[in-house]
Amino acid sequence: MKVHCDIRFTNSTQGAYLSGQQLTGHVQIKLTEPKKFNEITLRIVGYSNVQWSQKRGQGRRRRTVYYTAKRDHLSSMKVLVGSQANGHTTELPAGEHIYEFACELPAHLPTSFEGSYGHCRYTAQVVMDRPWKFNLTYKVGFTVVQPRDLNLHAPSIRLPTRMEDARAFCCGFWRTKPLYVRVTVPFTGYVPGQAIPLTIVLNNQSARLIEGVNMKLLQEITYHAEYPSSRTRREVHTIVKHIGDGVAGEAQKQYEQRLVVPTVIPTCGETNLISVAYRLHITVHVQGCGSDPVLEIPLTIGTIPLMFQEPVATTVTLPAETSVAEAGFNFGNASGPLPSTSGLVREQTLPPEYLPPPTYEEAMNAAAVVITDDTDTNAIGTKPYVPLYPSYNFNDIQWPPLPPTTSQPPLPPKHGCGSGQSCPTDCKCACASGGCKEKSGGCCGK
């Protein structure tokens, strides 16, 4: 190849930027012999594009409808080599030629994304206009991330969230005792690299066997088409999955699990053609017929984690841990409010100024995409492109501090009496707060 071209970003070795930052770099052109050019330009563009097809109609009227939409976000051009004043071509001598450039990225740019039915993509392309020949092109992609500071969101994402379910199962004319499920997370805002602490309580009063608890972090992508009519298409991906142990019939269990958020695109796109949302999805698999309890908790994935400004030296005395038998459920009744994180302080937790800086990692399960298209005639090269998203390393610290635990109302009793034992069936006894009490006769407790 007699012409070699390369684009390098000087203020980001990985080519990843936050919207609102300045992008700088240089174009390197190497020639093995003198070449004439009408013009050499650098074009920096960003756009979102969605497209999919669906079959419509029946029989002879059956047809394929293509739903599309495109939205431009960024367009900048710089002339690196122009024609001479008299309109003649410019001849570059053999050797290396360096051209610097800079571009201000608007603050409203949406985050880069590559999906099944669309993408939000940013590229820098060199176009070499040659006299009486096809243009030569060289293109590279770079990543733009729209900052999402979790500390600027509604205060509700700092508060613990609890989801509960009570389920009874029917077998013919028989109805089992209920299964109670409770899932709690200490807050609902996280960043990639951070662990989501889950607390799951199972109180299985039925005789059914709980085969396992399926915990997933789901990513829901919504594509918005505008032509020939407004239409949306959704796809859901499981990005983290864990299967917890089951519970035998008439048994209780409480366990904790941590799901680490992988390197994924932050929650985004409320006003863009592509939107991404996240939620926890908990399924309790129960043996036999009947529907399995399903609980979901929406989450927000950001780029800056939640922070607490309290000094690290103060210590908070936490309530004693509650056992499974003491943890409670309240269905339909207003229980006390979930604990607030205001005023929370924990020992051995680093203050905000020691927050580890993020690194930019390749998107989870992402494959390099081809960013050239039909307009790139005589492309002399390109680089494989994969979006990069910020991720944190929280291996050595707990960030942010977990909220203190609080005692919950007691669980529904395992049997008919508060003592945990059922009354003898052949005696005249009744249930009371202390267990079996005599109605008549003297057989209770024997």
Side-chain angles (χ1 to χ4, degrees), residues 16-196:
Y17 297 88
L18 298 177
S19 56
Q21 286 186 332
Q22 183 185 58
L23 179 150
T24 63
H26 66 259
V27 175
Q28 179 189 62
I29 298 177
K30 293 182 179 179
L31 303 176
T32 57
E33 60 184 37
K35 290 288 183 181
K36 291 184 178 181
F37 298 96
N38 293 328
E39 191 177 61
I40 300 179
T41 58
L42 172 67
R43 302 173 184 177
I44 300 176
V45 299
Y47 64 95
S48 294
N49 182 68
V50 300
Q51 179 177 350
W52 72 86
S53 62
Q54 291 182 349
K55 298 292 184 179
R56 296 294 181 187
Q58 298 292 332
R60 294 183 178 180
R61 295 185 177 181
R62 188 170 179 82
R63 68 192 189 281
T64 301
V65 179
Y66 293 92
Y67 294 95
T68 63
K70 185 175 181 180
R71 188 173 297 172
D72 294 326
H73 305 303
L74 175 66
S75 180
S76 176
M77 186 181 74
K78 180 179 181 179
V79 178
L80 306 180
V81 177
S83 60
Q84 298 182 11
N86 57 8
H88 293 172
T89 59
T90 299
E91 182 178 68
L92 294 183
E96 181 181 79
H97 305 270
I98 302 295
Y99 306 93
E100 296 183 349
F101 64 89
C103 177
E104 296 290 338
L105 301 177
H108 65 272
L109 293 182
T111 301
S112 301
F113 177 76
E114 298 289 334
S116 303
Y117 304 105
H119 54 258
C120 179
R121 186 178 296 171
Y122 299 89
T123 61
Q125 182 184 40
V126 175
V127 180
M128 304 177 188
D129 186 354
R130 303 183 296 172
W132 305 104
K133 294 181 180 180
F134 291 109
N135 295 342
L136 297 179
T137 61
Y138 179 81
K139 182 187 289 185
V140 297
F142 61 93
T143 300
V144 174
V145 177
Q146 174 68 241
R148 183 172 285 270
D149 188 347
L150 296 177
N151 300 280
L152 302 180
H153 277 251
S156 58
I157 70 170
R158 294 174 171 264
L159 302 178
T161 298
R162 180 175 66 205
M163 296 295 293
E164 298 176 338
D165 191 3
R167 190 70 55 91
F169 307 96
C170 300
C171 292
F173 296 101
W174 299 97
R175 184 180 180 89
T176 67
K177 292 182 178 180
L179 162 66
Y180 296 96
V181 183
R182 182 175 67 232
V183 179
T184 307
V185 293
F187 35 86
T188 57
Y190 298 87
V191 294
Q194 191 174 10
I196 305 173

Side-chain angles (χ1 to χ4, degrees), residues 424-445:
T425 57
D426 56 346
C427 299
K428 297 179 179 179
C429 302
C431 291
S433 59
C436 296
K437 299 298 182 181
E438 297 182 6
K439 293 175 63 178
S440 63
C443 65
C444 282

Side-chain angles (χ1 to χ4, degrees), residues 358-369:
T359 58
Y360 283 85
E361 309 291 342
E362 292 186 356
M364 173 190 173
N365 296 332
V369 296

Side-chain angles (χ1 to χ4, degrees), residues 12 29 31 33 49 53 56 133 197 218 245 269 300 305 330 341-342 346 365 381 389 418 421 434:
S12 174
I29 298 177
L31 303 176
E33 60 184 37
N49 182 68
S53 62
R56 296 294 181 187
K133 294 181 180 180
L218 300 181
D245 298 333
T300 300
N330 285 277
T341 58
S342 60
R346 279 293 184 95
N365 296 332
Y389 301 124
Q421 299 180 352

Side-chain angles (χ1 to χ4, degrees), residues 370-390:
V370 178
I371 59 176
T372 56
D373 52 37
D374 296 337
T375 63
D376 301 323
T377 57
N378 289 348
I380 60 176
T382 186
K383 291 182 179 180
Y385 171 70
V386 178
L388 304 173
Y389 301 124

Side-chain angles (χ1 to χ4, degrees), residues 200-382:
I200 300 179
V201 179
L202 302 172
N203 177 18
N204 186 15
Q205 297 187 13
S206 72
R208 294 284 189 90
L209 171 67
I210 298 177
E211 298 176 335
V213 180
N214 197 342
M215 294 163 274
K216 297 179 181 179
L217 177 58
L218 300 181
Q219 178 190 66
E220 182 177 1
I221 307 169
T222 305
Y223 303 89
H224 304 268
E226 299 174 340
Y227 180 84
S229 61
S230 179
R231 191 65 59 96
T232 60
R233 180 160 188 167
R234 291 179 174 84
E235 58 178 354
V236 178
H237 301 290
T238 300
I239 58 176
V240 180
K241 181 179 180 180
H242 180 80
I243 300 178
D245 298 333
V247 180
E250 300 183 351
Q252 304 177 24
K253 187 172 186 179
Q254 173 177 326
Y255 58 92
E256 297 181 353
Q257 180 64 40
R258 293 164 59 87
L259 301 180
V260 179
V261 180
T263 305
V264 292
I265 179 174
T267 302
C268 66
E270 292 83 355
T271 59
N272 194 25
L273 296 179
I274 304 173
S275 58
V276 182
Y278 297 89
R279 64 180 185 269
L280 281 173
H281 183 92
I282 313 297
T283 304
V284 180
H285 294 287
V286 183
Q287 188 179 62
C289 58
S291 59
D292 296 333
V294 176
L295 301 92
E296 289 192 333
I297 299 177
L299 298 180
T300 300
I301 304 300
T303 59
I304 300 178
L306 291 171
M307 299 182 185
F308 296 86
Q309 302 297 328
E310 290 76 8
V312 71
T314 309
T315 304
V316 171
T317 303
L318 300 178
E321 296 291 336
T322 57
S323 65
V324 177
E326 294 172 342
F329 294 84
N330 285 277
F331 297 95
N333 297 323
S335 60
L338 288 171
S340 170
T341 58
S342 60
L344 176 64
V345 183
R346 279 293 184 95
E347 285 187 316
Q348 299 178 349
T349 301
L350 298 180
E353 56 267 26
Y354 291 100
L355 177 69
T359 58
Y360 283 85
E361 309 291 342
E362 292 186 356
M364 173 190 173
N365 296 332
V369 296
V370 178
I371 59 176
T372 56
D373 52 37
D374 296 337
T375 63
D376 301 323
T377 57
N378 289 348
I380 60 176
T382 186

